[in-house]
């Protein structure tokens, strides 16, 4: 017998329009979409709420925050993974790319263990029914870190790896191009003296000069056979964008300047902006505002970065702040990231696609998640 669910009296956010209508799920897929209300006895009334596709988040660091909720408190990794997954599902995120860092520049020693534990936990939990969202791995590769290569090599062929980003968090570069701000941040985070931080900066810049280029070449060669989506991280200048594109890197994650984002747009490189940047009204690092990127037509998709709940709110706020249509804003958290990730089976309300769905109620301009379905099964 075919399993069928009828959701009616909903504002369906389709790729090009919002209609009042009904959506029918059969065997985990969207079977039919129709205008108007269903009068079937089994239809579930969604009370006029919006129904959007499940959110696709191609970059979230949220697991790291569950593993280490306080600076000196490390949580058991499997419990942290389950809590992270529950937060994502409750935020309407049905496809999660756990963006885990490979390579340490001396300030984040615990991240390597978080990566190893995260891979082991996803392997162990796969098929158990414990996870509500669909999880994949996004390898964030720190190019100037000496331990990047030995960290990447054993997992480069892991089937859950679906995206790779090339990062450089050296002082004076990208996100940390403002050295005065960088020094103040490191003193605050580490209790090091200013002289100690300056010594560390000199060491890191020397290390970058020696190993960044050969490690970048090694990484691109190591993963080339997978044909994975490749992203650069924190692009600073148009030259960064052009050099990356020459190496087959067609996604720019969180460009830190308008010039870099516009260069990406003009070159056909897709741009991911931070959803928290939209919700907060600007960058927490003093970089370009994501809303300005949207207004300039230089942002294609959002990622949650460090707050899963920011995704749906970013879509709603983008409509309010920039005037783009709701279907276009919703596509920035669903269809566009799904296409970037080479996942054409999700991200749109369309017959034949996965029934990953989110019911949202607008409460004083904030979208509140009421129900979430993954492949037709309610998960939140």
């Amino acid at each position: 017998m075919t399993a069928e669910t009828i959701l009616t009296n909903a504002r369906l956010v389709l790729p090009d329009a919002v209609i009042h209508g009904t959506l029918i799920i059969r065997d985990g897929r969207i079977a039919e979409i129709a205008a108007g209300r269903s009068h079937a006895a089994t239809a579930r009334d969604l009370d006029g709420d919006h129904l959007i596709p499940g959110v696709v988040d191609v970059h979230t660091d949220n697991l790291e925050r569950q593993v280490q909720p306080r600076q000196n408190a490390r949580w058991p990794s499997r419990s942290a993974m389950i809590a992270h997954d529950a937060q994502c599902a409750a935020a309407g995120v049905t496809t999660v790319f756990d963006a885990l860092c490979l390579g340490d520049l001396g300030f984040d020693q615990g991240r390597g263990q978080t990566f190893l534990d995260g891979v082991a936990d996803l392997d162990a939990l796969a098929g158990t029914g414990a996870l509500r969202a669909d999880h994949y791995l996004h390898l964030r590769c720190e190019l100037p870190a000496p331990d990047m290569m030995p960290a990447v090599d054993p997992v480069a062929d892991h089937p859950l790896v679906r995206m790779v980003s090339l990062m450089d968090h050296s002082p004076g570069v990208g996100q940390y191009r403002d050295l005065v701000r960088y020094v103040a941040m490191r003193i605050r985070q580490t209790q090091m003296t200013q002289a100690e931080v300056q010594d560390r900066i000199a060491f890191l810049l020397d290390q970058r000069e020696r190993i960044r280029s050969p490690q970048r070449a090694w990484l691109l060669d190591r993963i080339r056979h997978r044909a994975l989506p490749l992203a650069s991280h924190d692009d600073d200048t148009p030259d960064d964008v052009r050099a990356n594109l020459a190496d087959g890197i067609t996604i720019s994650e969180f460009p830190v300047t308008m010039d870099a984002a516009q260069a990406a747009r003009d070159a056909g490189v897709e741009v991911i902006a931070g959803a928290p940047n939209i919700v907060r009204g600007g960058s927490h690092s003093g970089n370009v505002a994501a809303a300005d990127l949207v207004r300039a037509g230089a942002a294609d998709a959002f990622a949650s970065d460090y707050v899963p709940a920011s995704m749906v709110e970013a879509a709603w706020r983008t409509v309010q702040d920039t005037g783009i249509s709701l279907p276009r804003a919703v596509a920035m958290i669903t269809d566009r990231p799904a296409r970037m990730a080479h996942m054409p089976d999700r991200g749109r309300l369309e017959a034949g696609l996965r029934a990953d769905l989110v019911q949202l109620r607008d409460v004083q301009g904030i979208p509140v998640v009421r129900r979430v379905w993954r492949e037709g099964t309610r998960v939140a």
Side-chain angles (χ1 to χ4, degrees):
M1 182 176 177
T2 300
E4 180 176 272
T5 302
I6 303 173
L7 305 177
T8 195
N9 188 22
R11 294 187 181 120
L12 305 175
V13 182
L14 305 180
D16 298 311
V18 180
I19 69 168
H20 179 262
T22 299
L23 183 146
I24 300 176
I25 304 167
R26 293 194 189 103
D27 295 330
R29 297 273 166 170
I30 299 171
E32 298 177 38
I33 295 172
R37 181 191 291 264
S38 170
H39 297 287
T42 57
R44 300 181 185 182
D45 192 320
L46 298 194
D47 302 322
D49 289 343
H50 286 90
L51 190 68
I52 71 169
V55 175
V56 179
D57 188 357
V58 294
H59 182 128
T60 180
D61 307 346
N62 186 58
L63 177 60
E64 293 179 349
R65 283 149 184 80
Q66 307 314 308
V67 168
Q68 198 160 2
R70 290 191 177 182
Q71 186 171 1
N72 297 315
R74 193 168 181 90
W75 210 251
S77 67
R78 201 145 300 172
S79 297
M81 175 63 77
I82 290 171
H84 157 62
D85 168 72
Q87 289 181 15
C88 291
V93 181
T94 53
T95 301
V96 183
F97 279 64
D98 291 310
L100 302 178
C101 190
L102 290 82
D104 172 38
L105 292 179
F107 294 104
D108 302 295
Q109 294 91 340
R111 278 181 159 178
Q113 190 60 50
T114 300
F115 168 74
L116 294 172
D117 290 343
V119 175
D121 292 340
L122 287 180
D123 283 339
L125 295 171
T128 66
L131 298 179
R132 306 180 191 197
D134 208 6
H135 285 260
Y136 299 93
L137 291 168
H138 174 161
L139 304 185
R140 299 163 54 212
C141 303
E142 191 68 72
L143 296 179
D147 57 341
M148 184 274 288
M149 288 168 49
V152 170
D153 196 46
V155 296
D157 297 314
H158 195 291
L160 287 181
V161 172
R162 298 295 184 90
M163 183 174 284
V164 174
S165 58
L166 283 67
M167 304 193 308
D168 186 347
H169 284 118
S170 299
V173 175
Q175 181 180 346
Y176 298 135
R177 68 193 190 282
D178 184 338
L179 282 175
V180 173
R181 190 183 187 109
Y182 179 86
V183 170
M185 176 190 72
R186 291 307 186 194
I187 290 173
R188 184 176 65 253
Q189 290 177 341
T190 66
Q191 307 304 309
M192 296 168 69
T193 67
Q194 181 161 338
E196 288 170 334
V197 173
Q198 294 289 358
D199 286 345
R200 185 66 188 168
I201 288 173
F203 174 84
L204 290 174
L205 293 180
D206 176 71
Q207 177 175 273
R208 180 179 190 266
E209 181 68 24
R210 289 184 289 106
I211 70 174
R212 181 185 183 277
S213 291
Q215 293 208 148
R216 175 189 173 99
W218 175 88
L219 175 63
L220 291 171
D221 183 66
R222 179 66 181 86
I223 60 177
R224 197 176 307 278
H225 68 288
R226 294 285 311 271
L228 297 167
L230 300 181
S232 57
H233 192 74
D234 296 342
D235 287 325
D236 190 351
T237 69
D239 286 344
D240 292 336
V241 173
R242 288 189 283 268
N244 290 326
L245 182 58
D247 283 332
I249 299 168
T250 58
I251 300 170
S252 176
E253 282 194 305
F254 315 132
V256 298
T257 66
M258 178 63 78
D259 286 347
Q262 289 177 326
R265 176 200 62 197
D266 295 344
V269 172
E270 295 180 291
V271 173
I272 297 173
N277 187 312
I278 291 286
V279 175
R280 295 182 68 256
S283 166
H284 72 280
S285 301
N287 297 314
V288 66
D292 289 341
L293 297 184
V294 175
R295 293 186 189 99
D300 299 290
F302 294 131
S304 77
D305 199 5
Y306 55 96
V307 183
S310 65
M311 292 290 272
V312 293
E313 188 168 353
W316 254 245
R317 283 185 179 268
T318 298
V319 173
Q320 298 165 10
D321 295 346
T322 72
I324 69 170
S325 69
L326 182 60
R328 181 180 164 196
V330 167
M332 294 181 74
I333 62 170
T334 57
D335 185 35
R336 298 302 295 270
R339 291 177 188 270
M340 286 182 188
H342 302 171
M343 293 181 168
D345 64 339
R346 66 198 74 192
R348 303 183 305 284
L349 297 190
E350 183 178 300
L353 299 192
R354 282 169 51 126
D356 295 346
L357 307 167
V358 184
Q359 179 185 350
L360 297 167
R361 175 163 295 180
D362 189 313
V363 179
Q364 300 176 10
I366 297 176
V368 177
V369 175
R370 300 193 68 203
R371 295 182 180 91
V372 181
W373 295 263
R374 175 185 155 210
E375 291 189 288
T377 298
R378 189 173 172 191
V379 294

